[in-house]
Each structure stands twice: as structure tokens, then as C-alpha cells.
Amino acid sequence: MLTFSARTKNELCRAPVGRACCRTAELYGMLLFGATFSCREIRLVSEQPSIIRRAAMLLNKVCGVSAQPVSVGRRKVIQLTEPSEIAAVMEHMGYDFRSYITYHLNRNVIENDCCAAAFVRGMFLMAGSVAGPDKKSHLEIKTGHAILGREVMSLLLDLELMPKMIERRSTWLLYWKNTAQVEDFLTLIGARHAALAIMEAKVEKQLRGEINRKVNCETANLIKITSASTKQISAIEKALAIGGIEIFPENLRQTVDLRVANPTASLAELAAKFDPPISKPGLSHRLGRIMEIAMHVIDSE
Ligand SMILES: [Zn+2]
């Protein structure tokens, strides 16, 4: 069974690659957040074959490099070591081949408005994860490079996605715990089904909360009714044990019987049991009289 995160990534891998500028941006996101991105080696590693297939396709379309993914254990790996191939990739990402500073965000590659989402998608595919709708909202992206983390943070802020950032054993973690922000993030990068699943779970949770509140409210009402009727019934029974039904006048005896026979009935429910039915104030008055008599009998015992 695939995790929600893996299913989200599969959904993203089925998304069309879009315009040429966006393909470059997505590949750039994958490279910066992949295993190695240097002038000596480019390595992309994933346990999900669909991600590595998409990376290979982008490398081919964008840079004209045909990479052959290989299996290493459960993982699929793309590895480039041929200087001419690495040079081709670096050139397309706007790097000087002799430069060794690769782990920073070259904003020129994602200059067009359409490209930022593609870049973030590439980044999420290689280094992201998201908790399923059944869990607490959480989406994160990891990098081992602090400067890159900060630069991407500022890009995400520009996109109005507000991440938090923490360092954990030399890994920099950009993360979101706000459900609406997780939805926005997933929608932006093209994972509409995943975003919808999280939205539905949130609505369901709210609904369940509301139902629980209502049930609690009804339960409280029932307790209130029951405690009033418990008082009445125990007084009536005590008085009956002392003096019998004769202590109550004829016109109250039916009320006495109905009250004792229906301990959980509310005033309205009890009033409806009379034939013909009587009014609530009428019943309330009768019960008041019954209690007076019962208490008087009990007190004078
Ligand atoms: Zn674009």
C-alpha cells in the first residue's frame, strides 16, 4: 500500500510537463533537491520509479542528455559523471561549468511567473513529503544546504506559501502545519486530487465536531429532564408508600400514574400522553400540585 505522499507524487508525475521554460524549472527543482548536483557528478535517487522516469524524460527534453536509470536495491538512480553531459545540464541551468557553488537558487531559471510552480513541484518530488488526510496536516521539504533552504524560503514567501524552517542535525526542514496552506501548496504544484482529499477530510472533521456538540447538547437536555423526573418520581413513590393513591385527589391520579410510568419523558412528551392531551403549563401546574402533596405527606410522617 502506497503512502499518501507516494500517491501524491505519482499524481504529480502524471501531470503534463508544460512549456519549455517550466520543464527547465521543474528539472532544476529536482536537481537542487536531488542527491548530488555538482560539476563532477549529478545523482538523482528515488524509491518511486515514476519520479526517476520523469527526471530522465526532463533531462532528455531540456538538456538533450539521455540518462539510463539503474536499480540499486529498492531505489532507482540516475547518475551522470560524463563531463560533457554535466556541462550540458549546468549550461541549461545557467551555471558556469567551472563554478563549484551549485547549491544556491538561480532565480533566472524561474523568472517567468508560470515557472515557480514547476520548480516547487520538482523540489517536492525529490525532497518533499506530505501527511495523509487521516493525520495532522504536515508537509515538508528537506535540504542539507542552509543557504539553499533560505533562498527557497524567500521564493515560497513570494508565492504566499508561508513555510516555517528548522534545523535538525544539519538538515534544514521547510514545513507547513496549517491545513489551508498544505492545500494551497498541493494545488499550486498540480496535485489537485491530493489537495481535495485533505480538504474533504477537514470538512468531515468539522462536521463530526458539530454532530458531537449537538449530541452532547441533547444528552445534557436528557440529563436535565431525567433529574427533574427522578425527583418527582422518588417523592411520589415515597408518598404512595406512606398513604397510598388516596392521598392524591382523583383529578391528579392519572398524572401520577403517567409520570411514574414515563421517567425519561419531557414535559411536552408527557402532556401528549393524556387522552385528550393537555397543555404543558397545565401539566406543569398538576405536577407542582402533586409535589406539594407528596412533600407534605413525607414531611408529616
Ligand atoms: Zn514557465
Side-chain angles (χ1 to χ4, degrees):
M1 176 73 177
L2 287 179
T3 61
F4 180 73
S5 207
R7 275 183 282 138
T8 302
K9 290 180 184 180
N10 280 340
E11 183 190 353
L12 290 172
C13 287
R14 286 192 298 270
V17 286
R19 303 161 65 172
C21 58
C22 296
R23 287 181 219 157
T24 306
E26 183 174 335
L27 179 61
Y28 188 42
M30 284 184 155
L31 291 168
L32 275 182
F33 284 81
T36 314
F37 181 49
S38 80
C39 295
R40 267 164 305 194
E41 186 192 20
I42 290 176
R43 245 168 92 84
L44 295 170
V45 181
S46 175
E47 284 189 8
Q48 281 182 257
S50 61
I51 295 175
I52 293 301
R53 273 201 304 274
R54 190 169 172 99
M57 182 260 283
L58 289 170
L59 274 169
N60 193 356
K61 283 199 163 152
V62 175
C63 314
V65 170
S66 67
Q68 290 304 318
V70 293
S71 296
V72 179
R74 286 164 55 200
R75 297 168 161 191
K76 298 273 183 239
V77 178
I78 287 174
Q79 186 179 34
L80 302 179
T81 49
E82 180 59 45
S84 66
E85 290 183 336
I86 295 176
V89 175
M90 289 295 172
E91 198 197 318
H92 279 92
M93 300 305 140
Y95 286 84
D96 176 352
F97 186 50
R98 282 149 305 187
S99 151
Y100 285 86
I101 314 157
T102 43
Y103 287 107
H104 77 91
L105 181 58
N106 180 4
R107 285 255 200 161
N108 293 332
V109 181
I110 44 175
E111 210 170 17
N112 299 343
D113 282 346
C114 57
C115 299
F119 174 82
V120 176
R121 176 164 63 234
M123 175 171 88
F124 178 79
L125 282 173
M126 290 315 302
S129 68
V130 58
D134 53 324
K135 307 208 171 69
K136 269 199 178 147
S137 291
H138 184 92
L139 189 149
E140 66 175 42
I141 290 162
K142 276 184 206 158
T143 176
H145 309 279
I147 294 167
L148 177 63
R150 269 183 234 115
E151 287 168 344
V152 167
M153 174 103 169
S154 95
L155 170 75
L156 292 164
L157 291 173
D158 290 349
L159 293 170
E160 289 175 5
L161 296 167
M162 308 297 179
K164 296 210 167 60
M165 191 169 168
I166 49 162
E167 186 193 345
R168 201 186 278 158
R169 277 175 262 112
S170 78
T171 296
W172 280 265
L173 210 62
L174 293 159
Y175 68 94
W176 292 260
K177 290 194 175 298
N178 177 299
T179 307
Q181 289 268 303
V182 171
E183 282 170 28
D184 288 348
F185 185 103
L186 293 173
T187 307
L188 175 83
I189 64 173
R192 284 183 192 82
H193 286 99
L196 202 65
I198 286 178
M199 212 177 297
E200 279 168 5
K202 185 176 72 181
V203 172
E204 202 185 300
K205 224 178 280 169
Q206 281 170 346
L207 212 63
R208 217 179 303 137
E210 230 162 82
I211 290 171
N212 278 340
R213 268 194 300 283
K214 264 194 192 139
V215 168
N216 285 341
C217 198
E218 273 163 22
T219 311
N221 241 341
L222 197 64
I223 290 169
K224 220 160 65 190
I225 292 167
T226 321
S227 95
S229 96
T230 306
K231 257 186 222 154
Q232 291 161 356
I233 293 169
S234 61
I236 290 168
E237 281 180 340
K238 227 174 196 174
L240 286 174
I242 296 164
I245 194 71
E246 286 74 29
I247 61 167
F248 297 108
E250 198 98 34
N251 64 348
L252 289 178
R253 288 182 192 166
Q254 191 191 2
T255 312
V256 169
D257 289 340
L258 282 171
R259 173 73 289 178
V260 174
N262 302 284
T264 60
S266 68
L267 213 53
E269 287 165 343
L270 202 60
K273 288 187 189 296
F274 283 80
D275 185 22
I278 62 169
S279 70
K280 253 168 72 175
L283 176 59
S284 182
H285 177 76
R286 287 193 199 183
L287 285 169
R289 286 275 296 127
I290 289 169
M291 285 300 277
E292 261 170 44
I293 295 166
M295 293 318 286
H296 180 76
V297 169
I298 293 163
D299 287 345
S300 55
E301 228 259 305

